Amino acid sequence: MRLATAEDTRAYGARLAARLRPGDLLVLSGPLGAGKTTLVQGIAEGLKVRGPITSPTFVIARVHPSLHQGPPLVHVDAYRLGGGLEVDDLDLDASLEESVTVVEWGEGLVEGLADDRLEIHIDREAGDEARVVTLRGVGQRWADTPSDPLEG
């Protein structure tokens, strides 16, 4: 999927949020500046959670409660984490079942938190603001979902 602008990325995140439910784990990967936090801003808007949504690089994780009786959003930035033991220290599994958990830079670190997850890779196209988003569903939760969960 090609998203031409940051606003398109936020809008895509908001549409994706309509498909999310408590217990969902999303693992975001991509280079610095690719748009991971921008996508999370859209997801947060779609879930109608309290913001603002900024990169939690230094606090590692933020919980954004729902404003409309939906699931809270747990937003994690694993960039500064050194490995699985530091992920364990966050106790993400304690809130996983009732929250939508989105982990930036989580590839190779958080897959053990859930059998089902949506892996989202975001890349920038050279020379412009466009992003290329690739989704991969893992586990039974995403088994019957097309490669783009917004299609089906």
Side-chain angles (χ1 to χ4, degrees):
M1 159 89 37
R2 183 180 187 279
L3 304 169
T5 66
E7 191 51 46
D8 290 342
T9 303
R10 281 187 204 91
Y12 184 81
R15 291 192 316 273
L16 178 60
R19 294 291 184 110
L20 300 177
R21 61 184 188 215
D24 282 344
L25 172 64
L26 283 68
V27 182
L28 278 57
S29 63
L32 279 170
K36 295 178 291 295
T37 301
T38 303
L39 181 69
V40 178
Q41 290 169 343
I43 292 169
E45 180 182 318
L47 291 175
K48 297 183 180 7
V49 298
R50 188 176 332 146
I53 305 302
T54 59
S55 179
T57 300
F58 294 102
V59 296
I60 309 298
R62 285 194 179 101
V63 177
H64 297 276
S66 175
L67 297 172
H68 296 297
Q69 300 184 14
L73 171 66
V74 176
H75 182 200
V76 180
D77 187 328
Y79 184 75
R80 298 172 60 87
L81 298 180
L85 290 176
E86 291 183 29
V87 171
D88 288 345
D89 288 343
L90 295 175
D91 286 331
L92 295 175
D93 51 347
S95 62
L96 195 63
E97 290 303 313
E98 66 267 3
S99 303
V100 170
T101 302
V102 181
V103 183
E104 296 185 36
W105 301 98
E107 190 174 38
L109 292 172
V110 299
E111 290 85 354
L113 290 173
D115 292 333
D116 303 308
R117 65 187 172 276
L118 186 60
E119 297 175 350
I120 304 173
H121 183 81
I122 306 173
D123 237 329
R124 293 291 292 264
E125 287 191 345
D128 66 15
E129 194 179 349
R131 286 138 170 104
V132 177
V133 178
T134 306
L135 298 119
R136 179 177 171 260
V138 175
Q140 189 61 37
R141 159 76 169 105
W142 302 102
D144 298 327
T145 303
S147 61
D148 181 350
L150 303 181
E151 290 178 358

